[in-house]
Amino acid sequence: MRVAAYRKAHFNAAHRLHNPKWSEEKNKEMFGLCNNEYYHGHNYELIVKVVGEVDPETGYLIDLKYLSDVIKEHVEKKLDHKNLNIEVPEFKDLIPSAEHIAFVIHGWLREQLDSKYDLQVRLYETPRNFVEYPA
Amino acid sequence: MRVAAYRKAHFNAAHRLHNPKWSEEKNKEMFGLCNNEYYHGHNYELIVKVVGEVDPETGYLIDLKYLSDVIKEHVEKKLDHKNLNIEVPEFKDLIPSAEHIAFVIHGWLREQLDSKYDLQVRLYETPRNFVEYPA
Amino acid sequence: MRVAAYRKAHFNAAHRLHNPKWSEEKNKEMFGLCNNEYYHGHNYELIVKVVGEVDPETGYLIDLKYLSDVIKEHVEKKLDHKNLNIEVPEFKDLIPSAEHIAFVIHGWLREQLDSKYDLQVRLYETPRNFVEYPA
Amino acid sequence: MRVAAYRKAHFNAAHRLHNPKWSEEKNKEMFGLCNNEYYHGHNYELIVKVVGEVDPETGYLIDLKYLSDVIKEHVEKKLDHKNLNIEVPEFKDLIPSAEHIAFVIHGWLREQLDSKYDLQVRLYETPRNFVEYPA
Amino acid sequence: MRVAAYRKAHFNAAHRLHNPKWSEEKNKEMFGLCNNEYYHGHNYELIVKVVGEVDPETGYLIDLKYLSDVIKEHVEKKLDHKNLNIEVPEFKDLIPSAEHIAFVIHGWLREQLDSKYDLQVRLYETPRNFVEYPA
Amino acid sequence: MRVAAYRKAHFNAAHRLHNPKWSEEKNKEMFGLCNNEYYHGHNYELIVKVVGEVDPETGYLIDLKYLSDVIKEHVEKKLDHKNLNIEVPEFKDLIPSAEHIAFVIHGWLREQLDSKYDLQVRLYETPRNFVEYPA
């Protein structure tokens, strides 16, 4: 009985899209308002998808309380109420676009979860813009 | 022209997560508050996904009014305002976790729908916890 | 600067609508499926509204983190994953309708909050049915 | 780094489901209220999914501002506040069911987007009825 | 114990904003796309608010199942899948703006409900535009 | 015919809650994570409520397209993708709490709108925390 289970979480953060190898002009042209040197921010909504076989003893694919605790400890604690560019080492040389944030979160969770589970991360930067990794 | 069509439905029910082969202690440890012997409950939201070829005569994959009626008759009538553990025979020996409820709903709908359609069920136990079967 | 501040919370519970002074027939007629003797349940969404003057030192009407902690301690702990009829003393002689649950929650919060604040409670039993106390 | 990026948009339109090859009776039987000769309408919600490789220079799969502009120009301008049956040439001989509208929107966007991207369209006719093309 | 109880409903309809006393130019200028002579449409969401005293025998302000039936019979049946300008007599000489539709719905419901209840109607024309009557 | 009309808008911004008259310790204690010196951010959702008499010539209380344009010009342009503490003069000596932001937005809109309209602003800092001014 192969199922997917999903858990929703959220965090608020500031960020700036900026490529240090480019001129100010090229950055402004590419990233527009998102290039603001003083930062802007979002309420990020995160949906973590885990896929695998249901355990007949519990009826669970994975204990979603446990998954929620893993997300709190390994994602929210690192990102919530942070400035992604300044305070999160993973974005020292990586532009904190939604795509890259989803990739980084996926990496953090992949380390914590048993390899028997498939894992996918969906990240809403706004209710109108969102990404998924892996596709 | 292969498409997916989705129909949303909902039902309210009480349930308890409990494995009768286990001690009280092990049940409490595994299921926490969800093991409450007096039950608790949810507003379940159900999304039924049907996949197949569009009929060029109607522009429909499937008449969603018909699909809605099938869900009312074969899912809502059996689950809405029920105690899943006591009143739904399928959960006599099956823990009514979201995963198992989705599996049971899928079985009921699979029997009703033409085999030319692929079928997947998504079940929200809360807006933050949800499952899909098959994955 | 008089403002309103709102905080959203949620809890899941089982309940049954039943007036013990009435016959089974009258209960069934009045409460329909909600009268089910084995209970059913809901994901209740709660919105607490506090009204008063903003503190110019903090920019806050009330610290919403504090309000959230009060709700957790004095509402969620008492109601979440409970059977309202059996496990919540306030409903021993009070039918746990949405109206009455909102009234009880209001009473619990009123005791905790400074009397300088006005207080109103909105309770969603489902996304389609909800109540407010006081009106 | 293969990801999916999504952009949400919306438009309001009137339509009527009617097969001119059929009798009035058969149309009424098949399409019910949706066959109303004077039209009815919807707030359509559109979610466009693009899949491909992230550009390491920008952190973007695709500039969602650009995607939003493409949707405005090539979808919203053609459909928003229109009568689909009368004013949109694509539906001259194609019933404007949700399935067909999604198919037509997919075609319009496919012409605009680089072939390196995979493309999928989800269309909500109501919050309870929605479709996806391709499945 | 004075409370408010709310019930949500919805209907889909086509309409056109047009003042027959004005020139085509003035209509276009005032109403823009909403003046389209071929109509456009919406998924209207309706929230009906009833205010009064809770009945201690039932715990209800009003039976929301009954209120829902009244809305179905006296609002949805008249408006759902209709062309408001052509098929709803109340809009023969009244522009079917959201404000006027809310006013008309309020009148229909006011006739059905006991005068001991206060009544207010909120109508969403889109998720971004909505009105309330009376204010 | 006195009605209320509402228009929804949104903007993304970075901010920091900090009272310069206080010690670092007192700021941390009062504002917690929101005091982060490197800022954090939100997707703010704004709902503007206008109250008054319907114009029988148009069926409008106020043209919501016009109201939307006023919000774009006088609110979004000033706040969207900004650092509220650094880039918005109104917050030079005013802590950018949700309460204060709502107050400032209300002032900007009050200047633009005809005095015949009553005006209220609701601001969501997150889906769980929101404020209204005036109460």
Side-chain angles (χ1 to χ4, degrees):
Chain A
M1 198 190 302
R2 193 170 172 80
V3 306
Y6 296 82
R7 174 74 197 177
K8 213 173 167 179
H10 51 85
F11 57 91
N12 311 319
H15 78 154
R16 176 197 190 190
L17 301 185
H18 182 77
N19 186 331
K21 298 184 212 143
W22 293 352
S23 67
E24 285 308 307
E25 290 67 33
K26 190 166 176 193
N27 270 294
K28 278 263 175 288
E29 194 191 318
M30 185 65 219
F31 296 120
L33 294 174
C34 299
N35 185 237
N36 182 354
E37 66 176 307
Y38 301 116
Y39 310 102
H40 66 284
H42 298 289
N43 302 330
Y44 291 93
E45 297 274 346
L46 174 69
I47 298 179
V48 176
K49 178 185 186 179
V50 176
V51 179
E53 292 290 326
V54 172
D55 177 347
E57 294 287 300
T58 59
Y60 281 173
L61 167 65
I62 186 172
D63 181 352
L64 288 177
K65 178 73 178 64
Y66 164 76
L67 180 59
S68 172
D69 290 343
V70 168
I71 297 170
K72 277 204 183 73
E73 184 65 27
H74 295 279
V75 178
E76 294 182 27
K77 204 180 263 185
K78 291 172 177 167
L79 300 181
D80 191 32
H81 284 77
K82 300 291 190 206
N83 183 309
L84 302 183
N85 302 63
I86 299 177
E87 299 181 282
V88 183
E90 280 78 359
F91 298 113
K92 198 172 172 301
D93 299 313
L94 191 70
I95 296 173
S97 65
E99 289 87 336
H100 282 163
I101 303 171
F103 174 77
V104 165
I105 290 172
H106 182 273
W108 289 336
L109 292 174
R110 186 66 284 176
E111 280 178 32
Q112 301 301 320
L113 293 179
D114 192 317
S115 63
K116 72 182 174 182
Y117 296 122
D118 288 337
L119 176 67
Q120 189 188 43
V121 158
R122 176 181 278 203
L123 184 71
Y124 288 79
E125 194 169 88
T126 73
R128 288 156 295 282
N129 290 345
F130 50 105
V131 301
E132 249 169 25
Y133 177 80
Chain B
M1 198 189 302
R2 192 169 174 80
V3 307
Y6 296 82
R7 174 72 196 178
K8 212 172 167 179
H10 50 85
F11 57 91
N12 311 320
H15 78 153
R16 177 198 188 188
L17 302 185
H18 182 77
N19 186 332
K21 297 184 213 143
W22 292 353
S23 67
E24 286 306 307
E25 290 69 31
K26 191 166 177 193
N27 270 294
K28 279 261 175 289
E29 194 192 317
M30 186 65 219
F31 296 120
L33 293 173
C34 298
N35 185 238
N36 182 355
E37 66 177 309
Y38 300 115
Y39 310 102
H40 64 285
H42 297 289
N43 302 330
Y44 291 92
E45 296 275 345
L46 173 69
I47 299 179
V48 176
K49 178 185 186 179
V50 176
V51 179
E53 292 290 325
V54 173
D55 176 348
E57 294 286 300
T58 60
Y60 282 173
L61 167 63
I62 185 172
D63 181 351
L64 288 177
K65 178 75 177 65
Y66 164 76
L67 180 58
S68 172
D69 289 344
V70 169
I71 298 170
K72 275 203 185 74
E73 184 65 26
H74 295 278
V75 179
E76 294 182 26
K77 204 180 262 185
K78 290 172 177 168
L79 300 181
D80 192 31
H81 284 76
K82 299 292 191 206
N83 183 308
L84 303 183
N85 302 63
I86 298 176
E87 300 181 283
V88 183
E90 280 79 358
F91 299 113
K92 198 172 171 301
D93 299 313
L94 192 69
I95 297 173
S97 65
E99 289 88 337
H100 282 163
I101 303 171
F103 174 78
V104 164
I105 291 173
H106 181 273
W108 287 336
L109 293 174
R110 188 64 284 178
E111 279 178 31
Q112 301 301 320
L113 294 179
D114 192 316
S115 63
K116 72 181 174 184
Y117 295 122
D118 288 337
L119 176 66
Q120 189 188 43
V121 158
R122 176 182 278 203
L123 184 71
Y124 288 79
E125 194 169 88
T126 73
R128 289 156 294 281
N129 290 345
F130 50 106
V131 300
E132 249 169 24
Y133 177 79
Chain C
M1 197 189 303
R2 192 169 173 82
V3 307
Y6 296 82
R7 173 73 197 176
K8 213 173 167 179
H10 49 86
F11 57 91
N12 311 320
H15 78 154
R16 177 198 188 189
L17 302 184
H18 182 77
N19 186 332
K21 299 183 213 143
W22 292 352
S23 67
E24 285 308 306
E25 289 68 32
K26 189 165 177 194
N27 269 293
K28 279 260 174 290
E29 193 191 318
M30 186 64 219
F31 296 120
L33 293 174
C34 299
N35 184 237
N36 181 355
E37 66 176 308
Y38 301 116
Y39 310 102
H40 66 285
H42 297 289
N43 302 330
Y44 291 93
E45 297 274 344
L46 174 69
I47 298 180
V48 176
K49 178 185 186 179
V50 177
V51 179
E53 292 290 325
V54 172
D55 176 349
E57 294 287 300
T58 59
Y60 282 173
L61 167 65
I62 186 172
D63 181 352
L64 288 176
K65 178 73 178 65
Y66 164 76
L67 180 59
S68 171
D69 289 343
V70 169
I71 297 170
K72 276 203 185 74
E73 185 64 27
H74 295 279
V75 178
E76 293 182 26
K77 204 180 265 186
K78 290 171 177 169
L79 300 182
D80 192 30
H81 284 77
K82 299 293 190 206
N83 183 309
L84 302 183
N85 302 62
I86 299 176
E87 299 181 282
V88 183
E90 280 78 359
F91 298 114
K92 199 172 170 303
D93 298 314
L94 192 69
I95 297 173
S97 64
E99 289 87 336
H100 282 163
I101 304 172
F103 174 77
V104 165
I105 291 172
H106 182 273
W108 288 337
L109 292 174
R110 188 64 285 179
E111 279 177 31
Q112 300 301 321
L113 293 178
D114 192 316
S115 63
K116 72 182 175 184
Y117 295 123
D118 288 337
L119 176 66
Q120 190 188 43
V121 158
R122 176 182 279 203
L123 184 71
Y124 288 79
E125 194 168 87
T126 73
R128 288 156 294 281
N129 290 345
F130 51 105
V131 301
E132 249 169 23
Y133 177 80
Chain D
M1 198 189 302
R2 193 169 172 82
V3 307
Y6 297 82
R7 175 73 196 177
K8 213 171 165 180
H10 50 86
F11 56 91
N12 311 320
H15 77 154
R16 176 198 189 190
L17 302 184
H18 182 77
N19 186 332
K21 298 184 214 141
W22 293 352
S23 67
E24 285 307 308
E25 290 70 30
K26 190 167 176 192
N27 270 293
K28 277 261 174 290
E29 193 191 318
M30 185 64 220
F31 295 120
L33 293 174
C34 299
N35 184 239
N36 181 356
E37 67 177 307
Y38 301 116
Y39 310 102
H40 65 286
H42 298 288
N43 302 330
Y44 291 92
E45 296 276 343
L46 173 69
I47 298 179
V48 176
K49 178 185 185 179
V50 177
V51 179
E53 292 290 326
V54 172
D55 176 347
E57 293 287 300
T58 59
Y60 281 174
L61 167 66
I62 186 172
D63 181 353
L64 288 176
K65 177 75 178 63
Y66 164 76
L67 180 58
S68 171
D69 289 344
V70 169
I71 297 170
K72 277 204 185 71
E73 186 64 28
H74 296 278
V75 179
E76 293 181 26
K77 204 179 263 184
K78 290 172 177 168
L79 301 181
D80 192 32
H81 283 78
K82 300 291 191 205
N83 183 309
L84 303 183
N85 302 64
I86 299 176
E87 299 181 283
V88 183
E90 281 79 358
F91 299 113
K92 199 172 170 302
D93 299 313
L94 191 68
I95 297 173
S97 64
E99 290 87 337
H100 282 162
I101 303 171
F103 174 78
V104 164
I105 291 172
H106 181 274
W108 288 336
L109 293 174
R110 187 65 284 178
E111 279 178 31
Q112 301 300 321
L113 294 179
D114 193 315
S115 63
K116 72 181 174 183
Y117 295 123
D118 288 337
L119 176 67
Q120 189 188 42
V121 158
R122 176 183 279 203
L123 184 72
Y124 288 79
E125 194 168 87
T126 73
R128 288 155 296 280
N129 290 346
F130 50 105
V131 301
E132 249 169 25
Y133 177 80
Chain E
M1 198 189 303
R2 193 169 172 81
V3 306
Y6 297 82
R7 175 72 197 177
K8 212 171 167 180
H10 50 85
F11 57 92
N12 311 318
H15 78 154
R16 176 197 190 191
L17 302 185
H18 182 78
N19 186 332
K21 299 182 212 141
W22 293 351
S23 67
E24 285 307 307
E25 290 68 31
K26 190 166 177 192
N27 271 293
K28 277 263 175 288
E29 194 191 317
M30 185 64 219
F31 295 120
L33 294 173
C34 299
N35 185 239
N36 182 354
E37 67 176 307
Y38 301 116
Y39 310 101
H40 65 286
H42 298 289
N43 303 330
Y44 291 93
E45 297 275 344
L46 173 69
I47 299 180
V48 176
K49 178 185 185 179
V50 176
V51 179
E53 293 289 326
V54 172
D55 177 346
E57 294 287 300
T58 59
Y60 282 173
L61 167 65
I62 186 173
D63 181 352
L64 289 176
K65 178 73 178 65
Y66 164 76
L67 179 58
S68 171
D69 289 344
V70 169
I71 297 170
K72 277 204 184 72
E73 185 65 27
H74 295 278
V75 179
E76 294 181 27
K77 205 179 261 185
K78 291 171 177 168
L79 301 181
D80 192 31
H81 284 77
K82 300 291 190 206
N83 183 308
L84 302 182
N85 302 63
I86 299 176
E87 299 180 283
V88 183
E90 280 78 358
F91 299 114
K92 199 172 170 303
D93 299 314
L94 191 69
I95 297 173
S97 64
E99 290 88 336
H100 282 162
I101 303 171
F103 174 78
V104 165
I105 291 173
H106 181 273
W108 288 336
L109 292 174
R110 187 65 284 178
E111 279 178 30
Q112 300 301 320
L113 293 179
D114 192 316
S115 63
K116 72 181 174 183
Y117 296 122
D118 288 337
L119 176 66
Q120 190 187 41
V121 158
R122 176 182 278 203
L123 184 71
Y124 288 79
E125 193 167 88
T126 73
R128 290 155 294 281
N129 290 346
F130 50 104
V131 302
E132 249 169 25
Y133 177 80
Chain F
M1 197 190 303
R2 193 168 172 81
V3 306
Y6 296 82
R7 175 71 195 177
K8 212 172 167 179
H10 50 86
F11 58 91
N12 311 320
H15 78 153
R16 177 198 188 189
L17 302 184
H18 182 77
N19 186 332
K21 299 183 213 143
W22 292 353
S23 67
E24 285 307 308
E25 290 70 31
K26 190 167 176 191
N27 271 293
K28 278 262 175 288
E29 194 191 317
M30 186 64 219
F31 295 120
L33 293 173
C34 299
N35 185 239
N36 182 355
E37 68 177 306
Y38 300 115
Y39 310 102
H40 65 285
H42 298 289
N43 302 330
Y44 291 93
E45 296 275 346
L46 174 69
I47 298 179
V48 176
K49 177 185 185 179
V50 176
V51 179
E53 292 290 326
V54 172
D55 177 347
E57 294 287 300
T58 59
Y60 281 173
L61 166 66
I62 186 172
D63 181 352
L64 288 176
K65 178 73 177 65
Y66 164 75
L67 179 59
S68 171
D69 289 344
V70 169
I71 297 170
K72 276 204 186 70
E73 185 64 27
H74 296 278
V75 178
E76 293 181 28
K77 204 180 264 185
K78 290 172 178 169
L79 300 181
D80 192 30
H81 284 77
K82 298 292 190 207
N83 183 310
L84 302 182
N85 303 63
I86 299 176
E87 300 181 283
V88 183
E90 281 78 359
F91 299 113
K92 200 173 170 303
D93 299 314
L94 191 69
I95 297 173
S97 64
E99 289 87 337
H100 283 163
I101 303 171
F103 174 78
V104 165
I105 291 172
H106 181 273
W108 289 336
L109 293 174
R110 188 64 285 178
E111 280 178 30
Q112 301 301 320
L113 294 178
D114 193 316
S115 64
K116 73 182 174 183
Y117 295 123
D118 289 335
L119 177 65
Q120 189 188 43
V121 158
R122 177 182 278 202
L123 184 71
Y124 288 79
E125 194 168 87
T126 72
R128 288 155 295 280
N129 291 344
F130 51 105
V131 301
E132 249 169 25
Y133 177 81

